Amino acid sequence: MSGVVTSRVADAIARRNAEASGALIGYLPAGFPDLATSVDAAVALAQNGVDVIELGLPYSDPVMDGTVIQAATQQALGAGFRLRDGFTAVREITAQVDIPVLVMTYWNPVLQYGVDRFADDLAAAGGAGLITPDLIPDEGTDWLAASDRVGLDRVFLAAPSSTDVRLKQAVEASRGFVYAVSTMGITGARTDVDAAARTLVGRLREAGATSTCVGLGISSAAQVAEVLEYADGAIVGSALVKALGDGGVAEAGRVAAELARGTTA
């Protein structure tokens, strides 16, 4: 992975792999159910064992998101969420807790905002970088340059169907970690984390990855522990979003604490 710039995310993941069995990365959409509550929920995650925050920017065409996250992002958009509110959320989260915050966004909003302007504003807000699920490295030249210029991480996705060439590209372009998608298709908590994830992480290691985290379908401490047997981090989204929707900030914090037990199992 790119080593030109020091990575706060990679450092946090490495530290948790030294202290425990690995890192827990928690996803929440900015602006759900409203902007202030989404900030409070992210802070609660940080205070209950989550090591890196993945803050999603609500988008009108969330092609990779499952029903729980789609409903949450649509609610945020309906309540008036605008892209600039994402920078506000990052700023307010990082002012309260010392935790890396990665923004997860589809690429079109970044293009419309302006790649360099987006990088500048995210860095100014205290953000750690971007997860870009629909951007492949060979189409991300502008983002690679902008992220190097301001010192932001960039996380690319790898899937079980990815060719060896694509995996090597993702490894070389990523900084922070490579996001291993455990299941083909959309996000959502699943009873079993696919065995394909273990094979994919092995292939990424062979391609040179030093930090790989697995997401899509993780919803219990036992699954976190299972993933951390072979990966550096476990990424949880739908289970935390559902907790926030069902029981507010307190429930999101409780579920985060329960999931975090998997890092010490």
Side-chain angles (χ1 to χ4, degrees):
M1 289 185 301
S2 174
V4 178
V5 179
T6 300
S7 166
R8 291 165 54 201
V9 173
D11 288 349
I13 292 170
R15 184 177 67 252
R16 287 301 291 157
N17 275 270
E19 297 169 347
S21 59
L24 176 61
I25 299 168
Y27 167 92
L28 289 174
F32 172 73
D34 56 68
L35 190 61
T37 304
S38 67
V39 169
D40 291 344
V43 171
L45 263 55
Q47 294 171 337
N48 283 279
V50 169
D51 303 299
V52 177
I53 298 291
E54 178 184 343
L55 192 69
L57 295 186
Y59 182 51
S60 58
D61 186 25
V63 292
M64 281 189 62
D65 295 328
T67 54
V68 171
I69 293 175
Q70 278 194 31
T73 56
Q74 292 306 308
Q75 182 174 333
L77 290 170
F81 179 88
R82 296 294 178 265
L83 190 146
R84 63 180 177 274
D85 296 329
F87 302 120
T88 301
V90 171
R91 187 177 299 108
E92 293 185 1
I93 293 164
T94 55
Q96 296 179 63
V97 284
D98 182 17
I99 189 170
V101 178
L102 284 167
V103 167
M104 196 292 283
T105 179
Y106 294 95
W107 188 237
N108 193 49
V110 180
L111 277 180
Q112 292 188 344
Y113 193 83
V115 177
D116 283 306
R117 180 184 170 211
F118 193 104
D120 289 338
D121 288 356
L122 181 58
L130 283 185
I131 300 171
T132 49
D134 61 340
L135 180 70
I136 57 175
D138 51 358
E139 294 178 358
T141 304
D142 291 346
W143 168 233
L144 296 179
S147 56
D148 277 342
R149 179 175 59 80
V150 297
L152 291 172
D153 284 344
R154 63 275 184 122
V155 175
F156 290 96
L157 271 63
S161 61
S162 299
T163 65
D164 289 344
V165 170
R166 285 286 186 208
L167 293 187
K168 190 166 181 60
Q169 288 176 336
V171 168
E172 292 176 348
S174 291
R175 183 168 52 234
F177 63 91
V178 181
Y179 192 134
V181 181
S182 68
T183 307
M184 296 304 293
I186 61 174
T187 63
R190 290 177 174 83
T191 304
D192 297 310
V193 176
D194 286 351
R198 192 182 296 263
T199 301
L200 175 58
V201 171
R203 292 177 63 207
L204 285 164
R205 297 240 192 269
E206 290 174 3
T210 56
S211 185
T212 303
C213 300
V214 171
L216 295 187
I218 301 167
S219 58
S220 69
Q223 288 178 340
V224 169
E226 177 189 343
V227 164
L228 294 181
E229 290 175 3
Y230 58 88
D232 302 291
I235 304 167
V236 181
S238 295
L240 291 168
V241 177
K242 185 176 187 302
L244 176 58
D246 290 347
V249 172
E251 179 66 5
R254 187 196 69 77
V255 170
E258 170 63 22
L259 289 162
R261 290 177 52 230
T263 66
T264 56

